[in-house]
């Protein structure tokens, strides 16, 4: 008996003015799968993921999530269904501390009015410990942290929701070797928790390090897809450049 995929995109099309950004893209993501979305800068990877996460609507096509058609009106609507995106710039506020960034816009409150600071810092500590971030204090400002730690905070914020799918948009663009290793460890923990992941990258070698399957976008179209176990880096590079 076959089960329906967690996410199914059918003929997703997107234009900006007269420019065709995405051209009838099909994509399938299984529950608990790590999918690498590979392509050059103009491939349309981020545009496609912003549609999945409710940031932009598609012009044409259908999105099915958990077996039912959906059309997210906003990123919050997608988040309410368990979909979160971690951006390349992390979307954090440097002048706020870690705890405030983790619970931005949904701070725990007392009597529905006042921010419950004690509870917020306590819950922030739980989130940080869950990802092994024991050396980070919940009251540290984001501006005082390195790029790798900031990314870890963004991931911790994403996983604080009832997460079913997380999208990582070029997550290793500005990370050290140590931070990259920590990021892949975090992905493995998410996979162990049966969280589906889409990993957007230009770097084929990184896709082979973590992904179960690779989908290649080129000029807004799917140029190919294959399980990692049945392809090579050279074949994926050929798909990428055509």
């Amino acid at each position: 008996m076959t089960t329906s995929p967690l996410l199914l995109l059918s003929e997703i099309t997107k234009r900006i003015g007269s420019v065709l950004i995405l051209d009838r893209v099909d994509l399938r993501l299984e529950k608990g799968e790590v999918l690498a979305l590979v392509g050059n800068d103009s491939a349309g990877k981020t545009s496609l993921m912003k549609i999945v996460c409710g940031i932009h609507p598609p012009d044409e096509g259908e999105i099915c999530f958990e077996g039912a058609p959906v059309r997210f009106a906003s990123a919050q609507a997608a988040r309410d269904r368990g979909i979160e995106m971690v951006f390349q710039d992390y979307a954090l506020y440097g002048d706020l501390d870690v705890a405030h960034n983790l619970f931005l816009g949904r701070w725990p409150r007392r009597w529905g009015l006042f921010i419950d600071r004690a509870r917020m810092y306590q819950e922030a500590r739980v989130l940080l410990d869950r990802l092994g971030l024991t050396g980070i204090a919940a009251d540290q400002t984001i501006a005082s942290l390195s790029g790798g730690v900031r990314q870890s905070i963004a991931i911790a914020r994403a996983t604080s929701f009832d997460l079913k799918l997380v999208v990582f948009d070029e997550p290793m663009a500005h990370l050290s070797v140590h931070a990259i290793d920590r990021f892949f460890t975090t992905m493995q923990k998410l996979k162990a928790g049966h969280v589906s992941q889409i990993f957007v990258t230009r770097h084929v070698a990184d896709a082979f390090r973590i992904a179960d399957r690779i989908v290649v976008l080129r000029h807004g179209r799917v140029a190919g897809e294959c399980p990692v176990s049945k392809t090579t880096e050279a074949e994926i590079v050929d798909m990428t450049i055509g």
Side-chain angles (χ1 to χ4, degrees), residues 28 30 33-36 207-208 210-216 224-233 235-236 239:
R28 179 186 183 100
E30 304 296 339
E33 182 181 27
V34 178
L35 176 68
F208 273 79
I210 193 65
D212 300 306
R213 188 163 52 92
I214 297 175
V215 171
V216 178
E225 64 175 285
C226 196
V228 167
S229 61
K230 295 183 179 180
T231 189
T232 65
E233 291 187 30
E235 289 174 341
I236 297 300
M239 291 182 199

Side-chain angles (χ1 to χ4, degrees), residues 97 99-100 116-126 138-139:
D97 65 23
H100 279 83
D116 189 339
R117 294 176 60 85
R119 179 182 162 198
M120 179 178 70
Y121 284 102
Q122 182 181 28
E123 292 184 2
R125 184 70 265 155
V126 171
D139 60 355

Side-chain angles (χ1 to χ4, degrees), residues 154-196:
I155 294 172
R157 182 174 64 186
T159 58
S160 68
F161 297 92
D162 183 14
L163 197 62
K164 297 172 183 173
L165 164 61
V166 60
V167 175
F168 296 106
D169 183 29
E170 296 286 356
M172 296 175 296
H174 309 294
L175 300 185
S176 66
V177 173
H178 173 70
I180 289 172
D181 288 339
R182 183 167 57 192
F183 168 71
F184 280 123
T185 298
T186 299
M187 289 190 74
Q188 292 287 5
K189 288 181 179 179
L190 291 171
K191 184 175 182 179
H194 308 291
V195 175
S196 299

Side-chain angles (χ1 to χ4, degrees), residues 11-201:
E11 298 196 339
I12 297 296
T13 300
K14 183 68 178 178
R15 298 177 181 83
I16 298 179
S18 60
V19 179
L20 184 61
I21 304 299
L22 297 168
D23 185 9
R24 294 169 295 174
V25 173
D26 295 338
L27 185 141
R28 179 186 183 100
L29 178 70
E30 304 296 339
K31 295 175 183 177
E33 182 181 27
V34 178
L35 176 68
L37 187 62
V38 175
N40 293 325
D41 286 340
S42 60
K45 306 183 301 296
T46 298
S47 295
L48 182 64
M49 291 300 98
K50 286 183 175 180
I51 288 172
V52 169
C53 297
I55 298 168
H56 298 314
D59 294 329
E60 301 170 24
E62 185 178 67
I63 303 171
C64 286
F65 187 69
E66 297 183 303
V70 295
R71 184 64 63 96
F72 299 124
S74 66
Q76 186 58 53
R79 190 173 293 124
D80 290 342
R81 290 292 301 273
I83 301 173
E84 183 62 91
M85 187 168 182
V86 177
F87 292 93
Q88 187 175 343
D89 62 2
Y90 314 137
L92 300 174
Y93 289 86
D95 56 341
L96 296 179
D97 65 23
V98 169
H100 279 83
N101 271 278
L102 287 174
F103 294 99
L104 192 67
R106 54 188 185 90
W107 298 289
R109 296 185 181 274
R110 289 180 294 171
W111 307 300
L113 297 173
F114 307 104
I115 295 176
D116 189 339
R117 294 176 60 85
R119 179 182 162 198
M120 179 178 70
Y121 284 102
Q122 182 181 28
E123 292 184 2
R125 184 70 265 155
V126 171
L127 287 173
L128 295 172
D129 290 346
R130 183 188 300 166
L131 292 180
L133 304 176
T134 54
I136 301 172
D139 60 355
Q140 284 182 264
T141 60
I142 292 296
S144 69
L145 303 175
S146 68
V149 175
R150 292 184 192 190
Q151 184 200 61
S152 297
I153 299 304
I155 294 172
R157 182 174 64 186
T159 58
S160 68
F161 297 92
D162 183 14
L163 197 62
K164 297 172 183 173
L165 164 61
V166 60
V167 175
F168 296 106
D169 183 29
E170 296 286 356
M172 296 175 296
H174 309 294
L175 300 185
S176 66
V177 173
H178 173 70
I180 289 172
D181 288 339
R182 183 167 57 192
F183 168 71
F184 280 123
T185 298
T186 299
M187 289 190 74
Q188 292 287 5
K189 288 181 179 179
L190 291 171
K191 184 175 182 179
H194 308 291
V195 175
S196 299
Q197 301 169 73
I198 300 179
F199 172 45
V200 178
T201 184

